[in-house]
């Protein structure tokens, strides 16, 4: 079975940015994702297309094919009391959906907190960064109908509780 649209690819991965390891599945369960659904950055998904279980892939992904180029005005400071109550205590690195000035949905990342002030940015924390991925495909399985409906994988075996 190949990594192609509609299959769940289960992989171990390490992400390195500027020579520093940012994230890795080493020592944990491998990570499943639904291929072709934009669950992982486009540059990595494209590189994995057509690969089979056992394949190891090292790929350098440019910002535009990763978390995007840095754009917009940069982090904006607000008071935590201005945020919706359920996210007021969220830490740096978390993201939530908000409405832009034209009523469009935008994702805002919490980039910094200081006292009762919070900095929000439309840029992903890894925007503008070149990403070095090292991936090993552990296995590939068919997705369930529910996974395809949701557009993401439900755990290693497809039966994980919905997240
Ligand atoms: Zn789901």
């Amino acid at each position: 079975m190949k990594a192609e649209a509609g299959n769940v690819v289960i992989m171990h991965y390490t992400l390195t940015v500027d020579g520093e390891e940012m994230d890795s599945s080493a020592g944990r369960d491998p990570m499943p994702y639904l291929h072709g659904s934009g669950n992982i950055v486009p540059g990595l998904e494209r590189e994995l297309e057509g690969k089979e279980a056992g394949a190891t892939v090292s790929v350098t992904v440019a910002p535009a094919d990763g978390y995007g180029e840095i754009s917009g005005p940069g982090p904006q400071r607000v008071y935590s009391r201005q945020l919706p109550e359920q996210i007021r205590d969220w830490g740096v690195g978390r993201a939530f959906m908000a409405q832009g000035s034209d009523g469009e949905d935008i994702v805002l990342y919490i980039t910094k907190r200081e006292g009762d002030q919070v900095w929000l940015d439309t840029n992903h924390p890894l925007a503008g960064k070149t990403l070095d991925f090292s991936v090993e495909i552990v296995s590939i399985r068919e997705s369930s109908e529910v996974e395809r409906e949701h557009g993401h994988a439900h755990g290693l075996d497809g039966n994980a509780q919905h997240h």
Side-chain angles (χ1 to χ4, degrees):
M1 191 170 287
K2 288 183 171 158
E4 54 191 17
N7 285 342
V8 172
V9 177
I10 296 167
M11 65 178 183
H12 272 300
Y13 69 94
T14 297
L15 167 61
T16 305
V17 175
D18 296 333
E20 191 185 335
E21 187 178 304
M22 300 297 295
D23 191 16
S24 176
S25 63
R28 293 187 274 146
D29 279 342
M31 186 189 84
Y33 77 92
L34 182 61
H35 193 86
S37 293
N39 297 169
I40 60 174
V41 299
L44 179 59
E45 187 165 63
R46 197 183 311 138
E47 196 68 22
L48 293 176
E49 176 78 32
K51 297 284 194 299
E52 298 185 37
T56 55
V57 173
S58 290
V59 57
T60 297
V61 175
D65 286 330
Y67 291 103
E69 306 282 4
I70 292 175
S71 64
Q76 304 291 303
R77 190 184 57 173
V78 299
Y79 289 100
S80 56
R81 61 176 177 274
Q82 296 173 270
L83 297 174
E85 201 174 344
Q86 66 272 24
I87 65 172
R88 229 165 258 176
D89 298 327
W90 280 15
V92 169
R94 293 192 71 175
F96 61 95
M97 294 291 286
Q99 278 204 331
S101 48
D102 298 324
E104 76 279 21
D105 284 340
I106 54 170
V107 179
L108 290 175
Y109 297 91
I110 299 173
T111 58
K112 185 180 164 187
R113 295 194 71 114
E114 216 175 85
D116 58 352
Q117 301 175 105
V118 180
W119 281 258
L120 305 174
D121 195 351
T122 54
N123 294 295
H124 187 281
L126 290 175
K129 300 285 190 188
T130 297
L131 313 171
D132 290 307
F133 284 101
S134 172
V135 168
E136 181 198 355
I137 298 179
V138 175
S139 60
I140 300 173
R141 63 169 171 81
E142 286 175 16
S143 57
S144 70
E145 206 178 313
V146 181
E147 287 176 315
R148 289 192 296 278
E149 218 168 85
H150 288 190
H152 55 226
H154 286 174
L156 297 176
D157 60 4
N159 295 319
Q161 285 288 319
H162 187 254
H163 39 273

